[in-house]
Amino acid sequence: MKNTTPQVVTIAGSDSGGGAGIQADLKTFQARHVFGMSIVIALTAQNTLGVQASLPIPCEFIDAQFASLAADFKIQAAKTGMLADQEHVAAVVKNLKQYNFGPLVVDPVMIAKGGHPLLAEDAIQLIKEELLPLAAVVTPNLPEAEVLISQAIKTEADMMTAAKLLQAMGVKNVIIKGGHKAGEHAADYVLLETGERFWMSAPRIFTENTHGTGDTFSSCIVAELAKGAQMRDAIITAKAFIQGAIQEGIFVGHGHGPTNHWAALSEDIYIEKVE
């Protein structure tokens, strides 16, 4: 009976404030009934008002964390979040090539809600060339997607083009999150490896309590994949999970508060297939 429970890992930065990063990932894993583990890439001194300081972990210790988990657990899906800089991206890529942790979800975290940079500019090219080809799915928001493709994204057509360009970099499935775009609905564009394309939309909720939304969304995909869900279903469940986490808000701190990881899945999700 050993190692029969679905197991997942987050490879990311720690949020001392508990709303984003590894802490948000672990809360999501628990809510979605998988056993979550973590490989810490960086520490942050952080609250709902912003990131006050960050401290990358020595790469030798990152290697040790990977080796320790691989020696004991049966990890069935993984995700990356904050990766700090070029040296740490390289360390993560090296270990992901060495150990099979199942399908990889890449959340290309670059900037915190308060504007603090979480990824050095010199790491971006390495992510594009080395990390994305290892990914089963990438989940950038609009500003992150713009950086990855070196183009502005203003329209829905631009989002669709961005997804094609990212897929051409070697990542199998792409989600361009549209939360930064104005409008009554938050619409995300999904391009699957099979060629299927669709929009996921939900009513926009006007609240400041959106800290950690990207982490929560991507870690829900990880959890669903580890349980055996198809990619399409995992993505739609993640949209329902993050919508519910925002809808059923909690009130913590004085700034951009966290989402509610114990909320129920939202039913206000609309899928529109692109022919």
Side-chain angles (χ1 to χ4, degrees):
M1 293 296 292
K2 293 181 179 178
N3 272 341
T4 56
T5 300
Q7 298 159 54
V8 296
V9 65
T10 170
I11 305 160
S14 168
D15 174 4
S16 59
I22 281 173
Q23 285 79 356
D25 295 335
L26 292 175
K27 290 172 184 178
T28 302
F29 295 157
Q30 187 73 12
R32 299 307 301 160
H33 300 166
V34 297
F35 184 79
M37 295 164 241
S38 61
I39 293 173
V40 183
I41 303 301
L43 304 174
T44 67
Q46 184 175 172
N47 54 30
T48 64
L49 300 173
V51 178
Q52 291 77 45
S54 59
L55 179 68
I57 298 295
C59 289
E60 295 80 5
F61 193 74
I62 292 171
D63 294 343
Q65 292 178 81
F66 268 96
S68 178
L69 297 190
D72 188 28
F73 301 103
K74 184 182 178 182
I75 296 172
Q76 290 148 290
K79 68 157 285 189
T80 61
M82 175 188 178
L83 297 180
D85 56 30
Q86 188 179 58
E87 179 186 13
H88 288 77
V89 172
V92 168
V93 167
K94 177 191 72 174
N95 281 284
L96 287 171
K97 288 180 177 179
Q98 182 174 353
Y99 303 111
N100 180 11
F101 284 171
L104 176 68
V105 178
V106 171
D107 182 14
V109 175
M110 296 180 184
I111 300 173
K113 273 285 190 295
H116 187 93
L118 299 176
L119 181 72
E121 285 190 23
D122 63 5
I124 294 169
Q125 194 63 29
L126 191 60
I127 285 177
K128 292 163 65 172
E129 294 177 357
E130 298 287 341
L131 185 61
L132 289 188
L134 302 179
V137 59
V138 65
T139 64
N141 59 31
L142 291 177
E144 291 161 350
E146 287 181 333
V147 170
L148 290 172
I149 67 169
S150 302
Q151 293 182 24
I153 302 173
K154 302 296 183 185
T155 66
E156 290 186 350
D158 291 342
M159 292 172 69
M160 297 170 75
T161 298
K164 286 184 180 179
L165 291 172
L166 285 170
Q167 199 174 60
M169 294 178 190
V171 59
K172 297 177 179 67
N173 303 280
V174 181
I175 308 162
I176 307 291
K177 298 179 297 188
H180 286 73
K181 201 169 180 288
E184 293 185 2
H185 286 75
D188 309 323
Y189 178 69
V190 181
L191 174 61
L192 297 180
E193 181 181 17
T194 60
E196 182 181 358
R197 303 174 293 159
F198 60 94
W199 290 90
M200 302 187 299
S201 63
R204 186 178 300 278
I205 300 163
F206 295 94
T207 174
E208 286 194 342
N209 297 332
T210 56
H211 183 50
T213 51
D215 303 304
T216 300
F217 175 74
S218 58
S219 55
C220 186
I221 296 174
V222 172
E224 300 309 308
L225 292 176
K227 292 185 290 186
Q230 295 297 309
M231 181 62 72
R232 183 184 191 277
D233 296 334
I235 291 169
I236 293 172
T237 297
K239 180 70 171 178
F241 184 79
I242 189 56
Q243 183 71 9
I246 300 171
Q247 277 177 333
E248 298 182 32
I250 55 175
F251 302 92
V252 177
H254 296 83
H256 289 285
T259 63
N260 179 4
H261 292 92
W262 63 77
L265 296 180
S266 173
E267 296 182 357
D268 296 333
I269 305 300
Y270 309 98
I271 308 299
E272 181 183 353
K273 191 170 182 178
V274 179
E275 299 298 338

